[in-house]
Amino acid sequence: MEQTHTSCTPTGHTQAGNGCGSQTNDSAALGLQLDDPKLSADVVNKVTTHPCYSPEGHKYARIHLPVAPACNIQCNYCNRKFDCSNESRPGVVSKLLSPAQGADRFSKVKARIPQTNVVGIAGPGDPLANPAATLATLKTVARTEPDVHLCVSTNGLALLEQVEPLKSAGVSHLTITINCIDAAIGEKIYPWVFYNHKRLRGRQGAQTLIDRQLAGLQAAVAAGMLVKVNTVLIPGINDHHIEALSQELKSYGALLHNIMPLISDPAHGTYFGLTGQRQPTEDEVSAARQAAGTNMAQMSHCQQCRADAVGHLGQDIDLNELAATQSPPTQSDEESSVLVAVASKSGVLIDQHFGYAESFAVYRITADGIEQREPRQVSKYCVGDDCDVAESRMDANLQALSGIKHVLCSRIGITPWQALEQHGVTPSTEYALFGIEDGLEQLQAQLIDSGSLSPQSTSDIKEAM
Ligand code: CLF
Ligand code: SF4
């Protein structure tokens, strides 16, 4: 979720290093006090060798591996066609990588920029809504380079159950985006959250998210991770609440607070952008940091990076240039086409719940076309009986869906969602109620844009690096 920098001005889209990403003397004074006796030598070392946790870490570089496409909530400052905006600027899309491609990119970048000591997963969706891809990438990287800092940024909804797996994978630095601790505010920011097989709307959804974020924060701190909290400052919505928020975050053990200006350019197509929600001024960002700084150390050199950012903060390297230095791989049939399963009741629309499907229509998508294949028969997953039976049905269904890379359906529970992901299948409800053809065409465009699908020409193949 990270990208080139913007200024804090309402219209600002300036170059790296300008605007609020540049640390002022005032804001520097609000940062972590490294001589604080409460900080252990280990914590000071982890802070000063991470470019985001301390300006002292500026000599080190980070790489983001964009391996996590799905998200389990909707934020009003996000357009899901682009990267997660919880750390990054909206309106930018990163090419998705598989875990193996991500680890490979890290090795190549490390060879070129040896100071790359932080590997972050920050999107393009929420890393913990894609736990299998996120954990597989982190573990592969850690095997290659055991001394690297592993860093994850999340909205926090699925954090509590992932703290132990993240810890085991070696994650030392964690960012949670928490914009409020009051559901009356949260319902103005999050139209829905998808939790426990249900889409929760309004205040109920916001309260669930807040409860899960705070419980996850507490557990991550207890597990020894250095937790930074990002807050998107939204004038008229959460600006009056920042001091109370930071007080709560401090009490839960967060180490650092990164208050980021909302970016709401209508061109990005976000709800806030389209409804005229204004961005904060530089003075408002500064005032919020001062208010929160009475409780917690403040980060003020954030660059709002892309989900595929590479290099020193504010000096991202050009991925196309990097790709051009690699010899293009040969492309297999698997790389030039994907099999997609569609759940459809009507046979016209993508209108069936994954759990109710007894048959999936199957399509092979290439960069040049879409062709129908034989349907796959499965056992209905949801029949309201006990979980063990459902689990064994899921195993059989996974076999029936062998070779499928994407499943399009109208709805799906989180358990089968995760089971699919663990088997390398990406479920999606993004095209719910679309015509099948329309949904497939949009998926095709997305796969081409993300570099996951390309025509068999060497000039295109190098983009996939
Ligand atoms: Fe990336 Fe985020 Fe880790 Fe840094 S970024 S996952 S903590 S390695 Fe850093 Fe970029 Fe700001 Fe994020 S400058 S957007 S705070
Ligand atoms: Fe977008 Fe919010 Fe999900 Fe990030 S967490 S991808 S900002 S909806």
Side-chain angles (χ1 to χ4, degrees):
M1 326 186 201
E2 328 262 33
Q3 74 183 66
T4 50
H5 175 66
T6 180
S7 83
C8 290
T9 58
T11 54
H13 281 229
T14 61
Q15 66 203 38
N18 289 339
C20 65
S22 304
Q23 196 170 29
T24 63
N25 287 337
D26 275 359
S27 57
L30 296 171
L32 270 172
Q33 300 305 306
L34 297 169
D35 55 1
D36 183 340
K38 291 200 285 296
L39 297 182
S40 69
D42 178 51
V43 168
V44 171
N45 180 49
K46 283 182 178 150
V47 163
T48 53
T49 53
H50 191 302
C52 304
Y53 278 63
S54 163
E56 302 260 317
H58 66 89
K59 46 187 173 294
Y60 297 97
R62 52 64 177 116
I63 175 171
H64 286 168
L65 300 175
V67 298
C71 190
N72 44 10
I73 71 173
Q74 179 63 55
C75 305
N76 278 334
Y77 45 74
C78 176
N79 176 348
R80 292 291 298 113
K81 287 190 181 140
F82 304 114
D83 284 2
C84 173
S85 307
N86 275 341
E87 282 203 307
S88 61
R89 176 210 303 272
V92 172
V93 63
S94 298
K95 289 181 194 297
L96 196 63
L97 299 181
S98 68
Q101 288 171 322
D104 185 51
R105 179 180 289 180
F106 165 63
S107 300
K108 286 167 179 158
V109 167
K110 180 80 182 166
R112 175 161 160 182
I113 312 174
Q115 307 92 321
T116 307
N117 72 335
V118 176
V119 172
I121 302 195
D126 184 72
L128 302 185
N130 307 257
T134 296
L135 291 167
T137 307
L138 294 170
K139 286 176 184 168
T140 311
V141 165
R143 271 198 300 274
T144 322
E145 192 75 35
D147 293 335
V148 84
H149 293 320
L150 299 180
C151 193
V152 167
S153 175
T154 176
N155 63 41
L157 182 67
L159 175 58
L160 189 58
E161 58 269 31
Q162 294 300 332
V163 165
E164 277 316 308
L166 289 173
K167 182 74 189 161
S168 308
V171 171
S172 51
H173 297 71
L174 182 82
T175 294
I176 316 172
T177 298
I178 305 180
N179 295 318
C180 61
I181 46 163
D182 178 348
I185 296 172
E187 70 176 338
K188 297 179 186 155
I189 304 173
Y190 313 107
W192 56 260
V193 313
F194 191 74
Y195 179 64
N196 246 351
H197 316 283
K198 290 198 185 77
R199 198 174 297 267
L200 306 176
R201 298 182 189 276
R203 208 164 287 200
Q204 188 193 14
Q207 190 64 57
T208 302
L209 178 63
I210 293 164
D211 291 347
R212 304 279 305 165
Q213 288 172 326
L214 293 177
L217 163 59
Q218 195 167 37
V221 170
M225 293 179 207
L226 299 190
V227 183
K228 168 167 81 64
V229 172
N230 283 357
T231 297
V232 179
L233 185 67
I234 312 167
I237 293 188
N238 68 350
D239 50 351
H240 61 285
H241 177 66
I242 296 296
E243 198 173 339
L245 170 63
S246 66
Q247 204 167 16
E248 190 84 339
L249 299 175
K250 174 78 178 172
S251 75
Y252 276 82
L255 183 73
L256 192 58
H257 199 182
N258 176 22
I259 296 174
M260 310 158 67
L262 169 75
I263 298 172
S264 58
D265 184 336
H268 298 146
T270 65
Y271 175 83
F272 280 154
L274 296 172
T275 54
Q277 168 63 51
R278 76 170 176 88
Q279 301 177 165
T281 62
E282 275 189 58
D283 284 350
E284 285 170 327
V285 174
S286 181
R289 287 179 181 156
Q290 290 289 339
T294 57
N295 295 314
M296 279 189 68
Q298 299 294 300
M299 173 181 183
S300 50
H301 61 293
C302 177
Q303 301 294 307
Q304 291 180 267
C305 326
R306 297 171 56 121
D308 61 359
V310 173
H312 292 89
L313 289 195
Q315 300 166 34
D316 289 335
I317 63 170
D318 183 339
L319 289 172
N320 287 329
E321 186 202 317
L322 191 67
T325 65
Q326 315 299 325
S327 49
T330 50
Q331 196 177 31
S332 66
D333 182 58
E334 199 175 303
E335 288 165 319
S336 62
S337 71
V338 291
L339 287 178
V340 180
V342 176
S344 173
K345 221 168 16 193
S346 60
V348 180
L349 304 178
I350 302 169
D351 59 358
Q352 192 163 39
H353 191 301
F354 175 85
Y356 298 149
E358 293 177 277
S359 169
F360 286 89
V362 174
Y363 298 84
R364 177 174 178 267
I365 301 186
T366 64
D368 305 316
I370 298 170
E371 61 193 42
Q372 193 159 11
R373 294 293 176 92
E374 283 299 303
R376 309 275 182 102
Q377 309 304 324
V378 296
S379 307
K380 203 167 157 189
Y381 176 74
C382 286
V383 288
D385 52 11
D386 69 67
C387 295
D388 288 347
V389 178
E391 208 169 295
S392 66
R393 256 197 311 271
M394 190 66 202
D395 286 347
N397 290 352
L398 284 166
Q399 277 184 11
L401 294 174
S402 148
I404 300 289
K405 288 290 177 219
H406 295 262
V407 169
L408 309 187
C409 52
S410 62
R411 294 183 65 188
I412 179 171
I414 198 73
T415 307
W417 178 295
Q418 288 172 343
L420 286 168
E421 274 197 339
Q422 274 162 10
H423 287 77
V425 185
T426 305
S428 172
T429 54
E430 204 176 327
Y431 309 109
L433 302 183
F434 280 45
I436 295 175
E437 200 180 318
D438 192 16
L440 290 169
E441 281 172 2
Q442 297 222 20
L443 176 65
Q444 181 190 41
Q446 197 187 2
L447 292 171
I448 293 170
D449 280 354
S450 69
S452 310
L453 197 61
S454 53
Q456 291 192 332
S457 90
T458 50
S459 60
D460 287 322
I461 291 165
K462 71 179 182 188
E463 293 287 324
M465 187 216 132

PDB file of all heavy atoms in Angstrom, residues 32-44 226 250 255 295:
ATOM      1  N   LEU A  32       9.944   9.300  18.112  1.00  0.00           N
ATOM      2  CA  LEU A  32      10.370   8.456  19.231  1.00  0.00           C
ATOM      3  C   LEU A  32      11.641   9.005  19.867  1.00  0.00           C
ATOM      4  O   LEU A  32      12.585   9.376  19.162  1.00  0.00           O
ATOM      5  CB  LEU A  32      10.665   7.046  18.702  1.00  0.00           C
ATOM      6  CG  LEU A  32       9.519   6.060  18.677  1.00  0.00           C
ATOM      7  CD1 LEU A  32       9.946   4.795  17.947  1.00  0.00           C
ATOM      8  CD2 LEU A  32       9.059   5.715  20.082  1.00  0.00           C
ATOM      9  N   GLN A  33      11.672   9.052  21.175  1.00  0.00           N
ATOM     10  CA  GLN A  33      12.875   9.489  21.888  1.00  0.00           C
ATOM     11  C   GLN A  33      13.732   8.243  22.125  1.00  0.00           C
ATOM     12  O   GLN A  33      13.405   7.403  22.969  1.00  0.00           O
ATOM     13  CB  GLN A  33      12.504  10.169  23.210  1.00  0.00           C
ATOM     14  CG  GLN A  33      11.634  11.412  23.042  1.00  0.00           C
ATOM     15  CD  GLN A  33      12.256  12.449  22.105  1.00  0.00           C
ATOM     16  OE1 GLN A  33      13.388  12.873  22.296  1.00  0.00           O
ATOM     17  NE2 GLN A  33      11.521  12.849  21.060  1.00  0.00           N
ATOM     18  N   LEU A  34      14.797   8.133  21.360  1.00  0.00           N
ATOM     19  CA  LEU A  34      15.566   6.885  21.385  1.00  0.00           C
ATOM     20  C   LEU A  34      16.369   6.700  22.667  1.00  0.00           C
ATOM     21  O   LEU A  34      16.835   5.593  22.950  1.00  0.00           O
ATOM     22  CB  LEU A  34      16.473   6.827  20.152  1.00  0.00           C
ATOM     23  CG  LEU A  34      15.678   6.802  18.833  1.00  0.00           C
ATOM     24  CD1 LEU A  34      16.594   7.010  17.649  1.00  0.00           C
ATOM     25  CD2 LEU A  34      14.895   5.503  18.703  1.00  0.00           C
ATOM     26  N   ASP A  35      16.519   7.797  23.433  1.00  0.00           N
ATOM     27  CA  ASP A  35      17.229   7.633  24.709  1.00  0.00           C
ATOM     28  C   ASP A  35      16.266   7.354  25.864  1.00  0.00           C
ATOM     29  O   ASP A  35      16.656   7.330  27.027  1.00  0.00           O
ATOM     30  CB  ASP A  35      18.083   8.877  24.999  1.00  0.00           C
ATOM     31  CG  ASP A  35      17.243  10.155  24.958  1.00  0.00           C
ATOM     32  OD1 ASP A  35      16.013  10.049  24.721  1.00  0.00           O
ATOM     33  OD2 ASP A  35      17.807  11.243  25.161  1.00  0.00           O
ATOM     34  N   ASP A  36      14.991   7.110  25.527  1.00  0.00           N
ATOM     35  CA  ASP A  36      14.007   6.779  26.561  1.00  0.00           C
ATOM     36  C   ASP A  36      14.415   5.464  27.239  1.00  0.00           C
ATOM     37  O   ASP A  36      14.530   4.427  26.566  1.00  0.00           O
ATOM     38  CB  ASP A  36      12.626   6.626  25.883  1.00  0.00           C
ATOM     39  CG  ASP A  36      11.511   6.341  26.883  1.00  0.00           C
ATOM     40  OD1 ASP A  36      11.822   5.898  28.010  1.00  0.00           O
ATOM     41  OD2 ASP A  36      10.340   6.537  26.514  1.00  0.00           O
ATOM     42  N   PRO A  37      14.659   5.483  28.555  1.00  0.00           N
ATOM     43  CA  PRO A  37      15.120   4.243  29.222  1.00  0.00           C
ATOM     44  C   PRO A  37      14.102   3.099  29.140  1.00  0.00           C
ATOM     45  O   PRO A  37      14.470   1.934  29.344  1.00  0.00           O
ATOM     46  CB  PRO A  37      15.347   4.678  30.678  1.00  0.00           C
ATOM     47  CG  PRO A  37      14.704   6.017  30.811  1.00  0.00           C
ATOM     48  CD  PRO A  37      14.556   6.618  29.463  1.00  0.00           C
ATOM     49  N   LYS A  38      12.843   3.440  28.811  1.00  0.00           N
ATOM     50  CA  LYS A  38      11.840   2.361  28.706  1.00  0.00           C
ATOM     51  C   LYS A  38      12.037   1.529  27.427  1.00  0.00           C
ATOM     52  O   LYS A  38      11.480   0.448  27.293  1.00  0.00           O
ATOM     53  CB  LYS A  38      10.424   2.952  28.730  1.00  0.00           C
ATOM     54  CG  LYS A  38      10.043   3.526  30.092  1.00  0.00           C
ATOM     55  CD  LYS A  38       8.551   3.656  30.282  1.00  0.00           C
ATOM     56  CE  LYS A  38       7.915   4.793  29.529  1.00  0.00           C
ATOM     57  NZ  LYS A  38       8.311   6.159  29.889  1.00  0.00           N
ATOM     58  N   LEU A  39      12.820   2.046  26.478  1.00  0.00           N
ATOM     59  CA  LEU A  39      13.044   1.293  25.240  1.00  0.00           C
ATOM     60  C   LEU A  39      14.271   0.397  25.404  1.00  0.00           C
ATOM     61  O   LEU A  39      15.365   0.883  25.723  1.00  0.00           O
ATOM     62  CB  LEU A  39      13.277   2.244  24.054  1.00  0.00           C
ATOM     63  CG  LEU A  39      12.129   3.175  23.660  1.00  0.00           C
ATOM     64  CD1 LEU A  39      12.524   4.006  22.443  1.00  0.00           C
ATOM     65  CD2 LEU A  39      10.860   2.386  23.367  1.00  0.00           C
ATOM     66  N   SER A  40      14.099  -0.891  25.175  1.00  0.00           N
ATOM     67  CA  SER A  40      15.241  -1.807  25.299  1.00  0.00           C
ATOM     68  C   SER A  40      16.204  -1.598  24.125  1.00  0.00           C
ATOM     69  O   SER A  40      15.826  -1.013  23.095  1.00  0.00           O
ATOM     70  CB  SER A  40      14.747  -3.256  25.299  1.00  0.00           C
ATOM     71  OG  SER A  40      14.257  -3.567  24.001  1.00  0.00           O
ATOM     72  N   ALA A  41      17.409  -2.121  24.263  1.00  0.00           N
ATOM     73  CA  ALA A  41      18.415  -1.992  23.183  1.00  0.00           C
ATOM     74  C   ALA A  41      17.894  -2.674  21.922  1.00  0.00           C
ATOM     75  O   ALA A  41      18.093  -2.191  20.792  1.00  0.00           O
ATOM     76  CB  ALA A  41      19.732  -2.616  23.631  1.00  0.00           C
ATOM     77  N   ASP A  42      17.179  -3.789  22.090  1.00  0.00           N
ATOM     78  CA  ASP A  42      16.643  -4.517  20.932  1.00  0.00           C
ATOM     79  C   ASP A  42      15.609  -3.655  20.192  1.00  0.00           C
ATOM     80  O   ASP A  42      15.628  -3.555  18.957  1.00  0.00           O
ATOM     81  CB  ASP A  42      16.007  -5.828  21.420  1.00  0.00           C
ATOM     82  CG  ASP A  42      15.397  -6.613  20.262  1.00  0.00           C
ATOM     83  OD1 ASP A  42      16.112  -6.817  19.261  1.00  0.00           O
ATOM     84  OD2 ASP A  42      14.216  -6.994  20.359  1.00  0.00           O
ATOM     85  N   VAL A  43      14.738  -2.999  20.960  1.00  0.00           N
ATOM     86  CA  VAL A  43      13.721  -2.153  20.327  1.00  0.00           C
ATOM     87  C   VAL A  43      14.393  -0.975  19.614  1.00  0.00           C
ATOM     88  O   VAL A  43      14.066  -0.657  18.462  1.00  0.00           O
ATOM     89  CB  VAL A  43      12.682  -1.660  21.369  1.00  0.00           C
ATOM     90  CG1 VAL A  43      11.800  -0.563  20.781  1.00  0.00           C
ATOM     91  CG2 VAL A  43      11.825  -2.829  21.855  1.00  0.00           C
ATOM     92  N   VAL A  44      15.347  -0.352  20.273  1.00  0.00           N
ATOM     93  CA  VAL A  44      16.045   0.788  19.649  1.00  0.00           C
ATOM     94  C   VAL A  44      16.705   0.328  18.346  1.00  0.00           C
ATOM     95  O   VAL A  44      16.623   1.007  17.312  1.00  0.00           O
ATOM     96  CB  VAL A  44      17.085   1.401  20.614  1.00  0.00           C
ATOM     97  CG1 VAL A  44      17.961   2.422  19.893  1.00  0.00           C
ATOM     98  CG2 VAL A  44      16.379   2.053  21.800  1.00  0.00           C
ATOM     99  N   LEU A 226       6.641  -4.654  17.086  1.00  0.00           N
ATOM    100  CA  LEU A 226       6.630  -3.198  17.226  1.00  0.00           C
ATOM    101  C   LEU A 226       5.465  -2.686  16.398  1.00  0.00           C
ATOM    102  O   LEU A 226       5.487  -2.784  15.169  1.00  0.00           O
ATOM    103  CB  LEU A 226       7.929  -2.592  16.710  1.00  0.00           C
ATOM    104  CG  LEU A 226       9.210  -3.034  17.414  1.00  0.00           C
ATOM    105  CD1 LEU A 226      10.375  -2.169  16.959  1.00  0.00           C
ATOM    106  CD2 LEU A 226       9.067  -2.960  18.928  1.00  0.00           C
ATOM    107  N   LYS A 250      -2.068   4.349  22.876  1.00  0.00           N
ATOM    108  CA  LYS A 250      -0.940   4.279  23.811  1.00  0.00           C
ATOM    109  C   LYS A 250      -1.234   3.239  24.890  1.00  0.00           C
ATOM    110  O   LYS A 250      -0.384   2.410  25.228  1.00  0.00           O
ATOM    111  CB  LYS A 250      -0.735   5.669  24.436  1.00  0.00           C
ATOM    112  CG  LYS A 250       0.307   5.723  25.515  1.00  0.00           C
ATOM    113  CD  LYS A 250       1.660   5.736  24.894  1.00  0.00           C
ATOM    114  CE  LYS A 250       2.761   5.836  25.935  1.00  0.00           C
ATOM    115  NZ  LYS A 250       4.076   5.653  25.327  1.00  0.00           N
ATOM    116  N   LEU A 255       3.471   1.716  19.572  1.00  0.00           N
ATOM    117  CA  LEU A 255       4.749   2.409  19.760  1.00  0.00           C
ATOM    118  C   LEU A 255       4.760   3.764  19.071  1.00  0.00           C
ATOM    119  O   LEU A 255       5.361   4.719  19.559  1.00  0.00           O
ATOM    120  CB  LEU A 255       5.855   1.516  19.155  1.00  0.00           C
ATOM    121  CG  LEU A 255       7.280   1.998  19.305  1.00  0.00           C
ATOM    122  CD1 LEU A 255       7.756   1.832  20.740  1.00  0.00           C
ATOM    123  CD2 LEU A 255       8.210   1.216  18.359  1.00  0.00           C
ATOM    124  N   ASN A 295       0.344  12.234  23.662  1.00  0.00           N
ATOM    125  CA  ASN A 295       0.197  10.855  24.156  1.00  0.00           C
ATOM    126  C   ASN A 295       1.227   9.894  23.573  1.00  0.00           C
ATOM    127  O   ASN A 295       1.686   8.984  24.250  1.00  0.00           O
ATOM    128  CB  ASN A 295      -1.191  10.315  23.792  1.00  0.00           C
ATOM    129  CG  ASN A 295      -2.297  11.075  24.484  1.00  0.00           C
ATOM    130  OD1 ASN A 295      -2.215  11.328  25.680  1.00  0.00           O
ATOM    131  ND2 ASN A 295      -3.302  11.472  23.741  1.00  0.00           N
TER     132      ASN A 295
END
